[in-house]
């Protein structure tokens, strides 16, 4: 009994969970709650303008006390920035976990396994013309690729919270400009990346790219599901996260 309590106490982690673009935090509430049910303490935050040094520093200071930084989609890139800054500023290595997150969302010569520039520019211009319709289209892409996409889309629409246009615009700039590939290649802390085979926004081929990184404590896994898998299949994602944390304990 004492040994069991000791094990659970060691396993319990404090987790900062960062959501993705265009949605608000409610989409990941179920993942947060099930991780809490599994004895972890979890706080959930929205995306933020990491290109503003003052805002980034505020989030670094917020994230520093946590053991694990987890991010979905754009949130995964932001989580990567935070663990990098924490290592630089505090010489501490946090556990990094990303879900359906491409280190570089828009393709370039060095990282071609991403959304083509022309496709992203068309999406950005569509958002500027009609934000509501474009957000619905984006939501459909989050759910696309699986048999349950229609049901998932209905659930997604019920969960989405209205977001400030300024934050959404900042998020698009982040998606266009952020490239955290070099951070992942050189990060010496534990890092675990889950990607999804039917993801319509992040190619499953990103797994092959990440597998080429020489980071010492890097693990990447590809499982069946859409980009929205952490929203609709939160039990499986929670199990994967807990399994990983137990393994590296």
């Amino acid at each position: 009994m004492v040994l069991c309590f000791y094990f659970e106490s060691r396993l319990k982690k404090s987790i900062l969970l960062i959501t993705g673009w265009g949605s608000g935090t409610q989409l990941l509430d179920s993942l947060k709650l099930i991780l809490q049910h599994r004895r972890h303490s979890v706080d959930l935050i929205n995306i933020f303008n990491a290109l503003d040094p003052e805002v980034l520093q505020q989030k670094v200071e917020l994230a520093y006390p946590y053991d694990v930084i987890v991010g979905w989609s754009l949130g995964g890139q932001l989580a990567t920035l935070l663990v990098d800054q924490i290592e630089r500023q505090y010489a501490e290595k946090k556990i990094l976990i990303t879900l359906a997150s491409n280190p570089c969302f828009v393709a370039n010569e060095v990282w071609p396994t991403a959304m083509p520039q022309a496709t992203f520019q068309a999406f950005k211009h569509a958002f500027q013309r009609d934000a509501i319709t474009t957000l619905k289209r984006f939501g459909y892409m989050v759910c696309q690729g699986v048999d349950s996409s229609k049901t998932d889309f209905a659930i997604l629409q019920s969960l989405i919270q209205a977001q400030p246009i300024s934050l959404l615009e900042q998020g698009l700039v982040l998606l266009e400009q952020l490239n955290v590939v070099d951070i992942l290649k050189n990060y010496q802390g534990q890092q675990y990346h889950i990607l999804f085979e039917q993801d319509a926004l992040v190619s499953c081929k990103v797994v092959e790219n990440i597998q080429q990184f020489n980071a010492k404590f890097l693990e990447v896994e590809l499982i069946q599901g859409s980009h929205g898998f952490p929203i609709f299949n939160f039990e499986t994602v929670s199990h994967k996260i807990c399994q990983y944390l137990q393994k590296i304990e």
Side-chain angles (χ1 to χ4, degrees), residues 8-121:
E8 288 182 347
S9 297
R10 290 186 64 210
L11 180 59
K12 180 180 178 182
K13 299 291 185 185
S14 58
I15 299 172
L16 181 64
L17 178 59
I18 309 172
T19 192
W21 180 82
S23 57
T25 56
Q26 194 168 319
L27 291 190
L28 296 185
D29 267 348
S30 293
L31 178 58
K32 171 190 172 181
L33 290 172
I34 196 167
L35 285 169
Q36 289 175 329
H37 180 71
R38 291 177 175 174
R39 308 185 78 85
H40 300 291
S41 61
V42 187
D43 287 314
L44 174 57
I45 65 170
N46 205 353
I47 62 169
F48 52 89
N49 184 11
L51 298 178
D52 182 323
E54 186 174 337
V55 172
L56 177 59
Q57 184 58 34
Q58 289 172 353
K59 299 305 181 184
V60 169
E61 292 169 8
L62 171 71
Y64 173 63
Y66 293 86
D67 302 311
V68 188
I69 316 295
V70 183
W72 170 57
S73 195
L74 171 58
Q77 291 177 289
L78 295 174
T80 303
L81 288 176
L82 291 181
V83 298
D84 178 58
Q85 286 298 313
I86 289 170
E87 183 178 26
R88 291 172 184 271
Q89 295 183 33
Y90 299 98
E92 288 194 21
K93 300 176 181 64
K94 303 296 182 178
I95 300 166
L96 170 66
I97 299 176
T98 74
L99 312 170
S101 183
N102 196 334
C104 184
F105 187 75
V106 179
N108 56 46
E109 292 180 0
V110 178
W111 191 263
T113 314
M115 182 177 286
Q117 277 279 353
T119 303
F120 183 82
Q121 292 302 323

Side-chain angles (χ1 to χ4, degrees), residues 85 106 130 168 202 221:
Q85 286 298 313
V106 179
D130 187 344
L168 293 171
V202 176
E221 184 171 3

Side-chain angles (χ1 to χ4, degrees), residues 26-225:
Q26 194 168 319
L27 291 190
L28 296 185
D29 267 348
S30 293
L31 178 58
K32 171 190 172 181
L33 290 172
I34 196 167
L35 285 169
Q36 289 175 329
H37 180 71
R38 291 177 175 174
R39 308 185 78 85
H40 300 291
S41 61
V42 187
D43 287 314
L44 174 57
I45 65 170
N46 205 353
I47 62 169
F48 52 89
N49 184 11
L51 298 178
D52 182 323
E54 186 174 337
V55 172
L56 177 59
Q57 184 58 34
Q58 289 172 353
K59 299 305 181 184
V60 169
E61 292 169 8
L62 171 71
Y64 173 63
Y66 293 86
D67 302 311
V68 188
I69 316 295
V70 183
W72 170 57
S73 195
L74 171 58
Q77 291 177 289
L78 295 174
T80 303
L81 288 176
L82 291 181
V83 298
D84 178 58
Q85 286 298 313
I86 289 170
E87 183 178 26
R88 291 172 184 271
Q89 295 183 33
Y90 299 98
E92 288 194 21
K93 300 176 181 64
K94 303 296 182 178
I95 300 166
L96 170 66
I97 299 176
T98 74
L99 312 170
S101 183
N102 196 334
C104 184
F105 187 75
V106 179
N108 56 46
E109 292 180 0
V110 178
W111 191 263
T113 314
M115 182 177 286
Q117 277 279 353
T119 303
F120 183 82
Q121 292 302 323
F123 180 85
K124 188 167 71 170
H125 292 149
F127 178 81
Q128 291 167 348
R129 291 193 304 270
D130 187 344
I132 294 175
T133 300
T134 307
L135 283 168
K136 285 185 179 180
R137 176 186 162 206
F138 178 77
Y140 176 72
M141 294 177 72
V142 168
C143 304
Q144 195 175 356
V146 294
D147 293 339
S148 59
S149 60
K150 288 185 179 179
T151 303
D152 291 346
F153 182 67
I155 294 171
L156 183 77
Q157 291 299 109
S158 72
L159 293 175
I160 285 178
Q161 300 161 295
Q163 301 293 295
I165 289 293
S166 59
L167 181 63
L168 293 171
E169 290 173 340
Q170 290 166 5
L172 288 175
V173 174
L174 291 168
L175 287 170
E176 185 173 16
Q177 296 186 13
L178 284 184
N179 184 342
V180 298
V181 171
D182 286 342
I183 294 175
L184 297 184
K185 284 181 177 180
N186 296 299
Y187 188 57
Q188 295 303 301
Q190 302 281 354
Q191 51 176 310
Y192 176 43
H193 309 282
I194 306 176
L195 292 111
F196 302 95
E197 196 161 341
Q198 288 78 34
D199 195 325
L201 287 165
V202 176
S203 171
C204 61
K205 294 180 180 179
V206 169
V207 169
E208 299 171 14
N209 293 23
I210 295 177
Q211 285 172 335
Q212 302 304 312
F213 297 170
N214 291 321
K216 186 176 181 180
F217 301 109
L218 182 150
E219 184 172 334
V220 59
E221 184 171 3
L222 180 67
I223 62 178
Q224 294 283 328

